[in-house]
């Protein structure tokens, strides 16, 4: 038997292509297969433990108290009546330490702290602690807070002329190339239009929740968070403790869509209250507080200018965006992020400027940038197709770039046109009629198309994989599963590379005591964490080969056995007391040497009622490429979810801010309208075969957010094709159509 040290690590920095993948030669034949999610039985049986469901002894319940002014200073907070109510333990305030804003995803600094000066309506200013949730909630209604009001900025239109350029970030806020104004003046065809999108909320099924417990000066927080590694650092700095004194557990997260990337106010409030009381405290946001005090997707105002020659080839692309955020916050919705590389065009101008408002913090929401930016870009492309008389798919084909038009680097892989062509064939694009001409009784029918793209990112990630004395594998990383299928995908990669049935792989996620993973966000989770698991398994394969006294290239692992030189040995006989390895991956020069992105095409058919203006999506098809598809079933589900998001973005979702104080007035799922079953038709998803050897050894790219990118634009373009009415101010509600509909 052989013994190996537990500290063995296989590290990779992505500085070169990886044309050979072990996934192509492994024998278990499980990667790519549409197997069921291994966490599914726990979730449907109610035995998967979410943040608010841990049963700790002596648990106290917290209810958050929010500010009821849009701007001002807290002068007094009278909690005596609340404290006197049955079951109430205390009312905890800490104006200096409570966090004013949630933190952005991936940041390692504490969020903005200090709540005495109110920055927006709904800011969390206190927490009531009681023996039951109901007692804490009732006591919160008895609080009396007096404010010294301050003048606030609550109107986007009133302050849009004061927009300012944000600080430089990973995505440049401004880019200029050539002379767009001159190219527009010389163009044979010109489009100059403005699209707007409203604030939106992620509206994840699980509210934000934190359960805090201190032991021997160390904090364990059971939280609903997507990125535990960086969230742990944010929390430690906000509390003023060492990072090694903080542990975050997020084994199951009931959706996030970006709203749970960074820590939110309930985490610090629960931690401070638990330390002060000397007992565990659980704080679960009410649905209205989720809307009030987490993050919203910024509203946008996007000016699109397209100039093309007589053949429809673009000479000018201008995409100038105004967004909003709180003073001092430099995050901006990168609406033009896909415009940088989606189409050819020599003269280019892409800008983002921030209007400072006293509204809830703007942050990342599913596919930040592309989800709303492609509404404008793909809408304008549809308008250009109409103006030139060129079929919308043919127009996109004529503007297919040979390489990144700004960075002048090649694409790692790019199958946009094949996606459009395959979708056109499957959807029946050739049967599309001119705008406003397909009337069937009281309904007008139309078909629309839009391109989809989402930049691919690799994030530093680590994972530990071990094989125990029974020949079974254990995967450990603090990577999370927010409903995306991470448990299953990491299990599949491990099973494939170690030659094990999936039942013999146990995956532990969401605990910062494990190696730091990439976290769930930006569509980077599967490829980043999957690569770290791949690297750990690669090292384990080397160790097994050494135990067999063969070269690793001559080793086959299948069904729990190691096979080489006409020998077949059970893994359990080779690993002794067990083997362990850690894999670590980091981004390298590949992300600069190549433009890496996933692509797709959305097709939608809608019916619009000529009397009421009601819009019904009748059918949708998404055709996507994202490198190797690791699990066909979970991948399809992700695309279906994104397309459903697109229906909401196109037709129903809109946060409404009160112009008097910035308050979100539709702050629950009864008034903020996400699509329900009746809104969603049969959706179809197809994948085109692709491998991206430049991305990582898995040859896989990000997929989770690709499904929403362009989906709303396809619906908007279909509405135009049905009615001849171009709506540029989203969502497309019936009032925006009625005046342009034909008389009965």
């Amino acid at each position: 038997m052989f013994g190996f040290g537990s500290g063995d690590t296989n590290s990779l920095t992505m500085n070169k292509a990886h044309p050979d993948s072990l996934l192509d030669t492994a024998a278990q034949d499980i990667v790519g297969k549409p197997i069921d999610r291994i966490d599914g039985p726990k979730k449907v049986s109610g035995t998967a433990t979410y943040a608010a469901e841990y049963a700790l002894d002596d648990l106290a319940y917290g209810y958050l108290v929010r500010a009821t002014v849009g701007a001002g200073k807290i002068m007094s907070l009278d909690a005596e009546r609340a404290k006197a109510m049955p079951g109430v333990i205390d009312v905890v305030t800490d104006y200096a330490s409570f966090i004013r804003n949630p933190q952005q995803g991936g940041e390692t600094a504490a969020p903005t702290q200090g709540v005495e000066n109110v920055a927006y309506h709904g800011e969390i200013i206190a927490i009531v602690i009681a023996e039951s949730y109901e007692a804490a909630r009732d006591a919160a209604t008895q609080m009396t807070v007096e404010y010294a009001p301050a003048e606030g900025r609550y109107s986007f239109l009133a302050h849009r002329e004061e927009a300012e350029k944000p600080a430089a970030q990973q995505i440049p806020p401004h880019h200029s190339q050539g002379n767009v104004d001159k190219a527009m003046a010389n163009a044979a065809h010109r489009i100059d239009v403005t699209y707007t999108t409203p604030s939106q909320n992620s509206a994840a099924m699980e509210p934000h929740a934190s359960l805090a417990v201190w032991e021997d000066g160390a904090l364990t927080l059971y939280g609903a968070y997507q990125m535990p590694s960086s969230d742990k650092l944010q929390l430690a700095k906000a509390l003023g403790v060492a990072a090694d004194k903080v542990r975050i557990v997020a084994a199951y997260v009931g959706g996030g869509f970006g709203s749970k990337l960074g820590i939110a106010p309930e985490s610090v409030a629960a931690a401070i209250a638990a330390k002060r009381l000397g007992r565990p405290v659980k704080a679960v946001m009410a649905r209205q507080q989720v809307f009030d005090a987490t993050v919203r997707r910024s509203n946008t105002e996007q000016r699109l200018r397209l100039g093309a020659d007589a053949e429809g080839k673009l000479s000018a692309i201008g995409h100038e965006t105004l967004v909003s955020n709180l003073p001092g916050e430099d995050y901006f919705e990168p609406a033009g992020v896909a415009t940088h590389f989606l189409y050819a065009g020599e003269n280019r101008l892409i800008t983002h400027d921030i209007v400072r408002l006293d509204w809830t913090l703007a942050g990342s929401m599913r596919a930040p940038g592309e989800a709303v930016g492609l509404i404008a870009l793909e809408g304008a492309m549809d308008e250009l197709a109409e103006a030139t008389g060129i079929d919308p798919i043919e127009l996109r084909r004529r503007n297919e770039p040979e390489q990144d038009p700004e960075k002048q680097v090649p694409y790692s892989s790019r199958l946009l046109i094949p996606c459009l062509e395959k979708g056109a064939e499957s959807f029946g694009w050739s049967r599309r009629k001119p705008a406003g001409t397909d009337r069937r009784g009281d309904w007008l029918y139309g078909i629309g198309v839009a391109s989809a793209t989402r930049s691919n990112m690799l994030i530093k990630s680590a994972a530990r994989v071990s094989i125990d004395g029974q020949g079974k594998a254990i995967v450990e990383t603090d990577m999370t599963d927010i409903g995306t299928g991470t448990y299953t995908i990491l299990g599949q990669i491990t099973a494939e590379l170690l030659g094990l049935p999936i039942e013999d792989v146990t995956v532990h996620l969401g605990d910062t005591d494990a190696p730091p993973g990439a976290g769930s966000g930006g569509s980077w989770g599967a490829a980043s964490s999957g690569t770290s698991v791949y690297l750990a398994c690669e090292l384990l394969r080397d160790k097994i080969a050494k135990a067999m006294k063969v070269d690793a290239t001559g080793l086959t692992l299948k069904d729990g056995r190691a096979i080489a030189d006409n020998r077949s040995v059970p893994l359990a006989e080779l690993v002794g007391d067990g083997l362990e390895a850690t894999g670590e991956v980091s981004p390298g020069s590949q992300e600069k040497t190549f433009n890496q992105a996933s692509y797709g095409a959305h097709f939608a058919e809608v019916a619009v009622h000529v009397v009421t203006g009601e819009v019904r999506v009748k059918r949708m098809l998404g055709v996507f490429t994202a490198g190797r598809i690791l699990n066909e079933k979970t991948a399809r589900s992700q695309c279906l979810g994104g397309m459903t998001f697109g229906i909401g973005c196109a037709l129903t979702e809109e946060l409404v801010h009160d112009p008097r104080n910035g308050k979100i007035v539709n702050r629950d799922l009864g008034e903020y309208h996400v699509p329900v079953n009746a809104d969603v038709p049969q959706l179809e998803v197809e994948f085109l075969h692709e491998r991206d050897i430049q991305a990582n050894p898995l040859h896989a790219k990000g997929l989770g957010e690709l499904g929403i990118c362009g989906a709303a634009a396809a619906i908007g373009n279909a509405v135009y094709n049905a009615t001849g009415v171009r709506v540029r101010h989203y969502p497309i509600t019936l009032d925006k159509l009625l005046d342009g509909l034909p008389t009965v």
Side-chain angles (χ1 to χ4, degrees), residues 438-457:
D438 188 359
R439 180 166 178 169
R440 308 175 196 177
D442 288 340
W443 293 89
L444 293 166
Y445 279 72
I447 294 176
V449 67
S451 299
T453 188
R454 170 75 178 159
S455 294
N456 182 64
M457 291 173 278

Side-chain angles (χ1 to χ4, degrees), residues 92 94 96-99 108-114 210-214 217-221 231-243 245-248 263-276:
V92 176
D94 188 333
S97 299
F98 274 26
I99 60 176
T108 56
T112 301
Q113 293 177 271
S210 290
L211 195 166
V213 56
W214 293 84
L219 169 67
T220 297
L221 186 93
D231 294 337
K232 168 182 173 175
L233 300 177
Q234 296 173 14
L235 186 58
K237 291 180 180 178
L239 297 172
V241 300
K245 296 294 185 181
V246 174
R247 175 190 177 202
I248 289 180
I263 63 171
E266 98 292 338
S267 62
V268 172
I272 290 174
K275 190 170 188 178
R276 189 171 298 184

Side-chain angles (χ1 to χ4, degrees), residues 2-10 463-469 472-476 494 498 508 513-515 532-533 535-544 574-583:
F2 291 79
F4 295 89
S6 62
D8 295 330
T9 300
N10 187 13
R464 182 169 52 242
V465 180
S466 56
I467 306 174
D468 65 18
K472 298 184 178 182
I474 301 170
V475 180
E476 298 170 279
T494 304
L498 298 183
H508 294 297
D513 279 354
S532 61
V533 169
L535 294 169
C537 291
E538 182 180 46
L539 184 52
L540 287 175
R541 289 171 63 94
D542 290 343
K543 293 183 177 188
I544 294 166
L574 293 169
V575 301
D577 294 333
L579 299 179
E580 181 180 290
T582 297

Side-chain angles (χ1 to χ4, degrees), residues 469-514:
Q470 304 300 312
K472 298 184 178 182
I474 301 170
V475 180
E476 298 170 279
T477 171
D478 75 1
M479 175 63 186
T480 50
D481 189 327
I482 59 171
T484 47
T486 309
Y487 278 103
T488 309
I489 289 167
L490 298 189
Q492 284 178 273
I493 294 170
T494 304
E496 186 71 66
L497 295 178
L498 298 183
L500 295 172
I502 190 71
E503 297 81 10
D504 287 350
V505 179
T506 300
V507 182
H508 294 297
L509 299 180
D511 188 335
T512 56
D513 279 354

Side-chain angles (χ1 to χ4, degrees), residues 201 203-205 287 291 666-674:
N201 187 272
M205 185 179 295
R287 181 65 63 184
F291 278 78
N666 57 333
R667 55 195 189 101
D668 58 36
L669 296 180
E671 297 295 332
Y672 180 81
H673 296 152
V674 298

